[in-house]
């Protein structure tokens, strides 16, 4: 593809750049024939120590060229460049929280806790089902479980824009920034 030309119905969601290879597409979507990666906006991404890439944002589907197409992803996906099959993109774990992007929820940010191998997520989603954890939750990479953080974030139209984990404390301290009242 000629990357200097605009392509109708194509949306580019994540790119990489290096002095050797230049610009390369990591996540791309075409409205009529799918693409590679999420089908919507990516708000944040993190590389894990093992080389996998986690992305969050406003999307409900993840595609793999010549592989699986996942629906109901709920704005959290993982890319494994070492996956030997075509299915390098997939949902992160079994999605157990509600407040999907289809009903106005979005995942805006995430932070990695290297001490415990956990990911923290924040945004405008409702939270984990039966977990009383709106706008914030944790994913345990060791067990593959979503963990509620009750009582969650509350207020008039609350939103979490930034999460930081200080792993130098025991247990780690989680800082949350955004707009909320309690």
């Amino acid at each position: 593809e000629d990357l200097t030309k605009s392509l109708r119905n194509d949306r580019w969601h994540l790119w990489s750049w290096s002095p050797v290879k230049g610009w390369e597409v990591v996540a791309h979507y075409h409205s009529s024939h799918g693409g590679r990666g999420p089908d919507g906006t990516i708000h944040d991404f993190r590389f894990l120590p093992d080389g996998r890439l986690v992305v969050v944002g406003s999307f409900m589907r993840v595609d793999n060229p010549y592989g699986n197409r996942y629906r109901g992803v709920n704005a959290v996906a993982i890319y494994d460049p070492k996956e030997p099959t075509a299915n390098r993109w997939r949902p992160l774990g079994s999605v157990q929280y509600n407040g999907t992007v289809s009903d106005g929820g979005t995942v805006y940010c995430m932070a990695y806790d290297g001490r415990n191998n956990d990911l923290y997520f924040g945004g405008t989603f409702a939270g984990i089902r039966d977990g009383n954890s709106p706008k914030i939750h944790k994913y345990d990479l060791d067990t593959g479980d979503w963990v509620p953080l009750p009582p969650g974030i509350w207020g008039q139209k609350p939103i979490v824009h930034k999460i930081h984990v200080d792993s130098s404390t025991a247990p780690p301290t989680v800082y949350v920034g955004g707009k909320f009242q309690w």
Side-chain angles (χ1 to χ4, degrees):
E1 297 278 350
D2 183 353
L3 300 179
T4 64
K5 294 182 180 176
S6 174
L7 300 172
R8 288 181 163 288
N9 303 316
D10 279 285
R11 294 182 300 280
W12 311 94
H13 300 299
L14 188 63
W15 289 67
S16 68
W17 184 87
S18 77
V20 175
K21 295 182 179 180
W23 287 102
E24 294 184 301
V25 177
V26 178
H28 153 264
Y29 198 81
H30 187 280
S31 61
S32 64
H33 54 75
R36 179 181 343 145
D39 71 346
T41 304
I42 294 173
H43 290 293
D44 200 359
F45 59 91
R46 290 281 179 274
F47 284 94
L48 299 176
D50 62 7
R52 294 180 299 164
L53 170 69
V54 179
V55 298
V56 299
S58 300
F59 52 86
M60 289 295 293
R61 192 165 92 187
V62 172
D63 286 357
N64 288 289
Y66 309 106
N68 291 336
R69 177 177 284 177
Y70 298 95
R71 298 184 189 283
V73 174
N74 286 340
V76 181
I78 189 164
Y79 174 76
D80 186 351
K82 297 174 189 169
E83 171 62 40
T85 71
N87 298 312
R88 291 190 173 118
W89 283 98
R90 63 178 174 79
L92 180 65
S94 61
V95 180
Q96 295 294 319
Y97 66 95
N98 57 18
T100 66
V101 294
S102 63
D103 68 8
T106 297
V107 181
Y108 283 107
C109 59
M110 74 177 121
Y112 178 67
D113 172 6
R115 174 182 278 184
N116 295 309
N117 201 31
D118 294 330
L119 283 168
Y120 290 84
F121 298 92
T124 59
F125 48 84
I128 299 171
R129 289 187 182 106
D130 303 322
N132 191 23
S133 185
K135 316 310 181 245
I136 188 168
H137 57 259
K138 177 174 79 169
Y139 183 78
D140 185 325
L141 287 159
D142 294 325
T143 65
D145 293 329
W146 292 102
V147 180
L149 301 174
I153 305 296
W154 295 87
Q156 186 177 19
K157 296 184 180 181
I159 183 171
V160 175
H161 279 291
K162 185 72 175 164
I163 299 175
H164 175 75
V165 178
D166 180 359
S167 295
S168 68
T169 63
T173 303
V174 179
Y175 294 89
V176 179
K179 180 187 144 268
F180 46 88
Q181 292 163 313
W182 71 92

